[in-house]
Amino acid sequence: MLVTKQNLPESERDRSFVVTTPVGKKRSFDKLIDFAQWAAANALGKPESERLMNGRDVE
């Protein structure tokens, strides 16, 4: 929801995010839009989507 929110401060858009998937893997994203694109591609379940390359795995 944050991505579509109008008047979202630039500081919120540019902060980094770390999420934990249901299987326990952590993934880091440099920007909110990268996270949103990855989440949408992941929800659609298309393994060939280039958006699934957004972010990086965190150990």
Side-chain angles (χ1 to χ4, degrees), residues 21-42:
T21 63
V23 294
K25 291 185 179 180
K26 290 187 178 185
R27 194 149 181 95
S28 173
F29 300 91
D30 293 331
K31 294 189 176 195
L32 181 60
I33 191 72
D34 293 337
F35 170 58
Q37 290 172 341
W38 176 85
N42 197 39

Side-chain angles (χ1 to χ4, degrees), residues 5-17:
K5 184 177 179 183
Q6 293 181 356
N7 302 325
L8 185 66
E10 207 54 44
S11 61
E12 291 293 313
R13 289 188 195 130
D14 289 340
R15 72 179 194 184
S16 61
F17 292 84

